[in-house]
Amino acid sequence: MTEVPTTRDRILEAAAALLADKGRDAVSTRAVSAAAGVQAPTLYRLFGDKDGLLDAVATFGFETYLAGKEALRQSDDPVEDLRRGWDLHLEFGLARPAFYELMYGSGRAASPASKAAEEILHRMITRIADAGRLTTSVDRAVRIVEATGVGVVFTVIATPPSERDPGLPAQVREMVIGNITTERPSTPDTGVHTRASALSEALRTGEFEALSSAERRLLIEWLTRLANT
């Protein structure tokens, strides 16, 4: 039995179609309301304002693109998973440039979709750290990968297809991965950097009643410095 789309779904689908076909400027509340067959007050009730609608559209485009993607499935090699994640990030940006612009280049605060992408990246990097193969802190590695990945995607998008260097994304990818990771260790890495990074992540994600919030933040800051030295 086919599921009947909700009003919210209809609005998001209409807005996504306008964005993909005509760009961000076409996603006005009037145009979206008309395309979805609803009144403007309904749109405001569900999304608050145009920024709320744009955030929801970016998330919709990101989630529907990732649905069922094999590249997000974990393997036994976390570094290879990061490599596939980089390629999927590039693929998404080139396939849906208008959605990508909403996520990363709108000039507004970080969108929920970009935060969701960062969480996926953070999990990938944490697995590399857990395997003893990360050369810096998880936070720094996430920032390095995200900054270079987004930069590469926007560079490729801005370059006419006939002038694009097809080898550029992969070369940058390997430079980044080579900088933040090591080959698989033959023995567990018990160095200060690895231990500091692991404890920092444990403090971020776990509950430690013995420490106040302020104490935990301070300890995380110290451990991050150690992991990055």
Side-chain angles (χ1 to χ4, degrees), residues 60-62 64-65 91-101:
F60 176 81
F62 182 62
T64 54
Y65 187 79
E91 182 184 300
F92 169 70
L94 297 183
R96 299 189 176 183
F99 292 91
Y100 195 86
E101 169 72 22

Side-chain angles (χ1 to χ4, degrees), residues 123-145:
R123 290 196 295 270
M124 288 181 172
I125 299 292
T126 298
R127 289 187 65 230
I128 296 173
D130 290 343
R133 299 180 63 185
L134 198 65
T135 61
T136 185
S137 70
V138 171
D139 280 350
R140 176 175 286 182
V142 168
R143 289 195 295 271
I144 290 172
V145 174

Side-chain angles (χ1 to χ4, degrees), residues 155-169:
T155 297
V156 175
I157 289 174
T159 304
S162 62
E163 300 176 15
R164 291 174 181 172
D165 177 357
L168 174 66

Side-chain angles (χ1 to χ4, degrees), residues 1-205:
M1 182 177 178
T2 303
E3 186 175 344
V4 178
T6 65
T7 299
R8 189 178 191 277
D9 290 338
R10 292 206 324 272
I11 292 172
L12 286 176
E13 289 170 1
L18 285 169
L19 178 66
D21 293 342
K22 300 179 180 179
R24 178 179 172 178
D25 291 343
V27 188
S28 66
T29 53
R30 178 179 296 180
V32 173
S33 297
V38 300
Q39 298 297 316
T42 301
L43 190 150
Y44 289 119
R45 175 174 58 81
L46 290 171
F47 301 100
D49 55 19
K50 184 176 179 179
D51 281 347
L53 173 63
L54 291 174
D55 282 342
V57 171
T59 300
F60 176 81
F62 182 62
E63 290 178 347
T64 54
Y65 187 79
L66 293 186
K69 289 290 183 181
E70 291 290 331
L72 286 179
R73 300 195 178 186
Q74 292 183 0
S75 72
D76 294 333
D77 186 342
V79 174
E80 184 60 28
D81 289 348
L82 176 62
R83 184 173 282 110
R84 290 187 292 112
W86 173 289
D87 291 344
L88 181 62
H89 182 93
L90 174 69
E91 182 184 300
F92 169 70
L94 297 183
R96 299 189 176 183
F99 292 91
Y100 195 86
E101 169 72 22
L102 274 185
M103 288 176 63
Y104 293 105
S106 62
R108 299 179 292 123
S111 69
S114 66
K115 291 178 181 178
E118 184 177 327
E119 289 174 3
I120 294 173
L121 176 59
H122 195 279
R123 290 196 295 270
M124 288 181 172
I125 299 292
T126 298
R127 289 187 65 230
I128 296 173
D130 290 343
R133 299 180 63 185
L134 198 65
T135 61
T136 185
S137 70
V138 171
D139 280 350
R140 176 175 286 182
V142 168
R143 289 195 295 271
I144 290 172
V145 174
E146 185 174 50
T148 51
V150 171
V152 166
V153 173
F154 275 123
T155 297
V156 175
I157 289 174
T159 304
S162 62
E163 300 176 15
R164 291 174 181 172
D165 177 357
L168 174 66
Q171 183 173 357
V172 176
R173 179 195 67 203
E174 293 310 307
M175 290 172 62
V176 170
I177 290 177
N179 180 263
I180 65 172
T181 69
T182 63
E183 293 297 322
R184 187 183 301 276
S186 56
T187 57
D189 185 347
T190 57
V192 172
H193 301 290
T194 299
R195 290 178 174 179
S197 180
L199 182 53
S200 174
E201 286 307 302
L203 286 168
R204 292 177 193 279
T205 59

